[in-house]
Amino acid sequence: MTAERMKPEKIRCDACPVLCYIAEGRSGACDRYANHGGTLVRLDALTVIEHTDQKLVPFMKDARPDEWDGDILQGSRPFVTAVGAGTTYPDYKPAPFIVSQEVAGVDMVTVVTEGIFSYCGVKVKIDTDRHIGHERDVVRVEGEPIGHVMTSEYGSKMLSLGGVEHLTGGSKKEGRVTCDALLRLCNREAVEMVIGEPEHETTVIVQAGQAPIINGIEEKLMRVGCGSAAIGMFAKQWMGHADEVVVVDDHITGVLSEHQAGKMLDVPPTGIRIKGRRSTPGRYFQVAEPGTGWGGTDITDPLVILNTFKPEVAWPGLRLLMVSTTGEQYAYFELDADLTPQPAEVPQALKASADLIAENCEPSVCSVLFMGGAGGSLRAGVTENPVRLTRSVKDSLAYVSCGGADSYVWPGGGITVMVDVLDMPTQSFGYVPTPALVAPIEFTMRVSDYQALGGHMDQITPVAQVVSDSDRKVTPEDTKSDPMDRKNYRWAR
């Protein structure tokens, strides 16, 4: 057989448990590694954060030649992230980059690796009053369950998506769909999901940093507070313009004349009667079913939450304002001779009060937080005695970041981290078809502390030998702290 007819040999990639055999010029199943001339190469550039007082362009390698002064570090202090670094799999190997540099007279080291996270997911915060599902309702993508609705927070709905049960505990399709949805969410892409069961389904499009789209309608505002809080905040705005105000809310509906704020402002009783369960004065629960109408209820006509007024207290001409917790819906009524509310033109002062409520509402937005557990195998890339790394993190001797972004390390055992994906460089996440997410994680500490925990000291490389002009350079977030800042460490406090 001639050399021309011989097929080139495939090379095996050992960066994850799939162990792809990759032909020349092709990439593996994850699209992260490829065969270039018989050599396994990482396709994404190593990402470096440049800390400097100078104004930097987003990607330094794209700068004009006249903007480069010949200094490969651009006269700034780089932080080598794990984005594009590669993994430690099959886990006996040291981390791909263990980088040293001097910071304010202290010898520091950063251990950089992309972790393969089977135990991972995202927590999604959706700022809206709209009902998207009951607690524990299943969240589906492409018909597959990928998570569930959690307990609502003040003005926000919460979702827990992913986790090892969905990635590996269900069908092959469930794992694939879950992994794909998590990857897109973490990389700031939009994902359409369906919440609830047939006949009671809600379609929600979630994208980090963007307003949610619920049943095809883009949300605008997050509530300023519950109905009771709104009464307390804006009671003075209504004095002299309305005799009674009801702020409609799925959770706590407020009534001005009964509320403590109304009492303190000498608002007389009006004889109003509200359907639902009375809590404390001026606060009512369960006035309607949850929904996408007024204040997160299922109503479009606010009068349906009223019983008849008490005839011995109410009076003809009584002025009634009903408004939602975002100020987006409001209506004005006056009682006729039969004490029945009749629609009337809204006085300008009351329109202004609804606008004030809306002005005090923050924009509705989706937040996506990646959450994962750094297991023993990942920690072995840092030290031959993994438990020492855990102890160093708990003792604030080692600082954990994800793509250079601040992370929250949960208390208790292990290293369970949570990070806002908007704080990380774009396209920080990848995947392997096991299925699992690939996410960057860095451990930064003093060189002396790294040696004390049994780190791979012979693998330490000065930062100047790691950073090159082919790397992707990004600027840090203006409001975020530096992983190498002294305040992160116990020894500097």
Side-chain angles (χ1 to χ4, degrees), residues 9-23 33 35 38-40 89-90 92:
E9 284 192 20
K10 295 180 179 181
I11 60 174
R12 192 179 78 166
C13 173
D14 62 354
C16 85
V18 175
L19 301 175
C20 294
Y21 282 90
I22 308 174
Y33 290 89
N35 181 346
T39 301
L40 186 68
Y89 194 82
Y92 65 84

Side-chain angles (χ1 to χ4, degrees), residues 156-372:
S156 304
K157 310 302 183 187
M158 308 291 291
L159 306 179
S160 178
L161 306 179
V164 70
E165 285 80 8
H166 290 289
L167 286 168
T168 68
S171 67
K172 184 175 182 180
K173 182 180 179 184
E174 179 182 336
R176 178 185 60 78
V177 170
T178 299
C179 185
D180 178 68
L182 294 180
L183 178 64
R184 287 187 286 144
L185 286 169
C186 289
N187 281 334
R188 310 184 191 183
E189 299 175 21
V191 173
E192 180 177 299
M193 51 194 72
V194 176
I195 301 173
E197 301 302 324
E199 308 300 326
H200 300 282
E201 293 179 339
T202 303
T203 300
V204 184
I205 298 177
V206 171
Q207 184 175 6
Q210 302 298 316
I213 300 174
I214 301 174
N215 288 336
I217 300 174
E218 182 177 305
E219 282 293 275
K220 301 297 183 185
L221 299 176
M222 175 186 183
R223 69 158 75 172
V224 64
C226 69
S228 172
I231 292 287
M233 285 186 281
F234 302 107
K236 286 186 176 181
Q237 309 296 322
W238 301 315
M239 301 305 296
H241 305 291
D243 302 304
E244 184 65 275
V245 178
V246 178
V247 182
V248 182
D249 179 22
D250 175 41
H251 299 129
I252 307 173
T253 290
V255 178
L256 176 62
S257 65
E258 299 177 4
H259 195 278
Q260 183 69 9
K263 297 297 185 184
M264 298 296 290
L265 293 171
D266 297 323
V267 176
T270 63
I272 195 170
R273 294 193 297 184
I274 304 290
K275 297 177 182 178
R277 180 161 64 88
R278 187 174 185 268
S279 172
T280 54
R283 303 170 77 248
Y284 290 84
F285 303 158
Q286 301 164 353
V287 300
E289 293 297 318
T292 57
W294 282 53
T297 69
D298 63 348
I299 66 172
T300 56
D301 176 7
L303 293 180
V304 301
I305 72 169
L306 301 185
N307 282 315
T308 57
F309 280 73
K310 297 177 182 178
E312 68 274 17
V313 181
W315 63 93
L318 184 151
R319 301 166 297 173
L320 170 65
L321 173 68
M322 302 190 77
V323 64
S324 71
T325 47
T326 59
E328 294 173 289
Q329 298 95 4
Y330 57 89
Y332 176 73
F333 308 90
E334 293 181 359
L335 300 194
D336 62 15
D338 297 324
L339 303 182
T340 300
Q342 299 296 336
E345 183 178 351
V346 185
Q348 186 57 43
L350 295 183
K351 286 183 180 179
S353 72
D355 291 341
L356 183 62
I357 293 175
E359 181 183 341
N360 278 270
C361 294
E362 296 176 72
S364 180
V365 71
C366 298
S367 302
V368 176
L369 279 75
F370 169 78
M371 185 170 174

Side-chain angles (χ1 to χ4, degrees), residues 389-401:
L389 175 62
T390 306
R391 293 169 182 164
S392 292
V393 171
K394 303 298 182 182
D395 291 341
S396 297
L397 296 176
Y399 183 78
V400 185
S401 56

